[in-house]
Amino acid sequence: MPALAAHLGTAARLSVKADAWTGLGLGGNKVRKLEYELAPPRLQGITDLVTGGGPHSNHCRVTAAAAARLGLGCTLVVNGEPDDERRGNARLHRLLGARIVTVADRVDRDWAMTEEADRIGAGGGRALVVPIGASTARGALGYVHALVELHTEAGKARPSIFTSSSSGGTLAGLILGCAILGWRPGLVGVSADETAAHVKETATGLAVSAARLLQDGDGRALVSRVLEVAEAVITTDDFVGPGYGNATPESDEAIALFGARAGVILDPVYTGKAAAAMIAWIRDGRIREGDHAIFLHTGGHPALFR
Ligand SMILES: *Cc1c(COP(=O)(O)O)cnc(C)c1O
């Protein structure tokens, strides 16, 4: 992103890790998580996927695309109606053939997902329930994989890696990857909704559980390295603004700058806010000449069109 760096007046190196283009159902970070959630041995005998989210959920979109590709049914438990089902992810959920069940509130989603799975079971099928956001220990392994790629791509540098963060699975995988490789880039998790403390706590918890999945026995050595990496992670909620999905002047500016100065299209819910954080760090000198800042682009483009 040399033109963006020049525009911002920084001699730092800026890069984008293009996880917006992960290749299934318009891509994004949920594809990497589903690669592990939907590993072939877990799909034996499965006829349907059941998951949930908001009416414009990226996770629901990618899960519906995966189901379609695998020849499985898909039920999405969605809290609330979209303002317009012909737009954004709400349109894509339908276009990808998902059956949509609407519940009144976020807190109703989990039991409704179980109920839908039971209903499928009673009808002779077998459902795999994919937890919301695929932010499980298993799903986080997708971002261990991404971190290994980043390590190769960054060369000898010790970059700062900026990622949007919400349910913490992405950040958890990055943390575990660093612990495994013994690599210590700066990790910056920029919240899209929750408090900074909550993001750090959930990401750390998921990274520890994922470490235990990888290790025989109690995995104590890896877990202690995970905790050491997690300790150094910076999470921030300074860019959430009025709340989840609501644009801020900083996110609007970041979307405009990445577009016009780098040809990189961001989204208003997640990546616009994470990019605003990276720009703020460049402007206040926390990223400076000789540094390498990597923006992990987690996707979310359909939110531009809702
Ligand atoms: C889900 C999502 C995130 C947040 O990822 P978590 O693993 O839940 O922290 C970030 N960006 C986009 C575009 C997403 O869809």
Side-chain angles (χ1 to χ4, degrees), residues 47-55 60-61 63-65 67-68 72-79 81 85 89-103 111-123 127 129:
T47 60
D48 288 79
L49 303 181
V50 175
T51 196
C60 285
R61 163 182 35 97
T63 304
L72 303 174
C74 182
T75 299
L76 302 177
V77 174
V78 167
N79 57 292
E81 303 281 353
E85 63 178 48
N89 278 320
R91 177 176 192 171
L92 296 169
H93 296 163
R94 289 157 179 82
L95 190 146
L96 291 163
R99 191 170 73 89
I100 293 161
V101 175
T102 306
V103 294
W111 69 258
M113 282 158 56
T114 309
E115 202 171 80
E116 290 305 320
D118 289 347
R119 192 199 311 273
I120 288 161
V129 176

